[in-house]
Amino acid sequence: MHALIAPLVLILERWQGYPPRLLDQIGHPVIWMGNLLTWLEQRLWKDGQSAEQRRTRGIIALAALLGATLVVTVMVQQVLRGIPLGWVLEILLATPFLAQKELGRAVQAVADALLTSLEAGREAVSHIVGRDPQQLDSAGVSRAAIETLAESTSDGVVAPWFWLVLLGLPGIALYKAINTADSMIGYHNARYADYGWAAARLDDLVNLVPARLTAVLVTIASFFVSGASPSRAWRAAKRDAMQHRSPNSGWPEASFAGALGFSLGGPRSYDGEMVDLPIMGQGETRLGPYHITRALTLYRVTLNVLLVVSSLLALLILAA
């Protein structure tokens, strides 16, 4: 059943996204997860704790988040599977955990803003990246937008779809809970080096297959995008991905860079601290709005390839 509804979830979310009115009225599941994590941190974090104590309490916070997510989604799925047309409601409930529409909109906003001014571009990109936007020139803003687009193709689209196919509504919700925990408390700074250890490591684990699958999908999509190169995409992924400090992020970034003939990665500033990341791909470095538009074209074709794959999988299951 999970694989059968997956293509419909992809279609609905890409077409409709998450309605802004619904966001204003009740928020979003990711916001609820974030609020629970914040509440847990306020009660579990104490100054003066040892590294082992912080790590243990971070594990407790993550377990509480995942336990709550699992209980709620399993109960909901069981109820829906027992009522007529419950699968329709299941599709509706799964769509908020994908980000096809919003990701494309947010990255397009950066390209549009850069056409207005560098300051407008910095403001637009600040909504989708964690690095310091004021340190970026036009090429840096463009690289940041494309890198986010590539990485989020994996953890915002392919990975949630993958876990939906495997485990249904609980799978996609649990994945998003892990990803949210990694974004909030994964060891990105000294405060969370121990407290966020479990969240970061589990996020690495659940993205191992989706990240590499994303590189495959991008490579296939490159056959259908003018000027893109499938051979460069896969060659860059194999050559550069494992140089990234993340075991997963390099796969989508390198495949995008190779396919489009860009160079991504390199030095960047986070909270005033310079971080020197390896280069993904070999090619154009002076990127601008036009290059963001090219990356968005590759992104949309990659979504089409994913939909075809998901639909074929559903048909195979129906025919079995």
Side-chain angles (χ1 to χ4, degrees), residues 118-143:
L118 175 57
E119 283 306 314
R122 287 170 171 168
E123 168 62 24
V125 85
S126 70
H127 297 292
I128 61 172
V129 300
R131 69 195 71 175
D132 301 328
Q134 294 307 315
Q135 304 296 321
L136 302 175
D137 57 11
S138 180
V141 169
S142 300
R143 277 197 305 274

Side-chain angles (χ1 to χ4, degrees), residues 26 48 82 125 137 141 151 165 172 176 184 190 196 217 219 223 236 268 289 301 308 310 312 318:
I26 66 170
V125 85
D137 57 11
V141 169
E151 184 175 352
V165 169
I172 192 173
K176 209 61 188 177
M184 291 183 64
L217 294 171
T219 300
F223 282 100
R268 63 193 65 171
V301 176
V308 170
S310 188
L312 288 175
L318 283 173

Side-chain angles (χ1 to χ4, degrees), residues 107-108 111 146 149 222 225-229 232 256-262 284 287-302:
V107 174
Q108 183 64 59
I146 295 168
L149 178 65
S222 300
V225 175
S226 177
S229 169
R232 285 202 315 260
F256 261 78
L260 298 170
F262 300 164
E284 182 67 46
L287 307 180
Y290 165 73
H291 301 94
I292 298 176
T293 301
R294 286 190 62 204
L296 280 165
T297 299
L298 178 59
Y299 165 69
R300 295 184 181 107
V301 176
T302 301

